[in-house]
């Protein structure tokens, strides 16, 4: 990902002014939606360290191999909600599958511990 290109997360900002601050450790995501967007950008950039660090220990895989990760195209956040220290984000992530475009849809759960949000 190039710093001056649009951020993959879909917000109208450059990568440098958006998800880079989370990936570099300069800031932590302040909401489940922000964490979801930064994790999507991390999948685009194949930043396994960031993905592991933001994945809750109760569900984090022992090994995260992104070598067969698809060519991600676009993130669409449908809804997000927060209730105290728990949150949910409903999203679609579009990717290229050969000559076709496909998407995965998920309603992800998040939990906040010690001031940080984690994907469950």
């Amino acid at each position: 990902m190039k710093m001056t290109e649009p951020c993959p997360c879909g917000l109208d900002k450059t990568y440098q002014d958006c998800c880079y601050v989370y990936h570099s450790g300069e800031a932590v995501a302040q909401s489940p939606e922000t964490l979801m967007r930064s994790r999507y950008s991390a999948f685009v950039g194949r930043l396994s360290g960031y993905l592991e660090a933001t994945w809750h220990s109760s569900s984090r895989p022992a090994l995260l191999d992104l070598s067969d990760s698809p060519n991600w195209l676009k993130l669409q956040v449908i809804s997000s909600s927060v209730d105290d220290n728990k949150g949910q984000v409903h999203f679609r992530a579009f990717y290229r599958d050969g000559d076709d475009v496909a998407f995965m849809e998920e309603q992800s759960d998040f939990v906040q511990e010690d001031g940080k949000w984690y994907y469950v």
Side-chain angles (χ1 to χ4, degrees):
M1 291 178 286
K2 294 184 180 173
M3 298 292 232
T4 58
E5 289 184 349
C7 192
C9 81
L11 294 178
D12 190 22
K13 298 180 182 180
T14 63
Y15 173 63
Q16 180 176 5
D17 293 332
C18 197
C19 290
Y20 173 75
V21 297
Y22 308 117
H23 297 164
S24 67
E26 294 174 27
V28 295
Q30 295 297 305
S31 71
E33 181 176 336
T34 302
L35 182 59
M36 177 67 241
R37 289 180 180 279
S38 68
R39 284 178 55 82
Y40 173 81
S41 290
F43 273 104
V44 171
R46 291 179 163 75
L47 305 175
S48 59
Y50 181 79
L51 293 166
E52 290 169 341
T54 57
W55 210 316
H56 194 265
S57 60
S58 67
S59 59
R60 182 185 318 128
L63 176 66
L64 182 60
D65 180 9
L66 299 177
S67 62
D68 64 346
S69 187
N71 180 14
W72 297 104
L73 302 173
K74 175 183 168 184
L75 176 67
Q76 179 183 49
V77 174
I78 298 165
S79 65
S80 63
S81 63
V82 176
D83 184 15
D84 196 26
N85 68 336
K86 295 183 181 189
Q88 288 192 324
V89 179
H90 181 192
F91 70 93
R92 287 186 190 116
F94 294 82
Y95 60 94
R96 182 156 308 284
D97 184 16
D99 291 335
D100 297 323
V101 173
F103 68 89
M104 63 164 285
E105 185 168 348
E106 183 175 305
Q107 182 142 339
S108 297
D109 293 318
F110 296 83
V111 65
Q112 187 179 43
E113 293 180 352
D114 299 323
K116 291 184 180 179
W117 285 100
Y118 295 92
Y119 168 75
V120 181

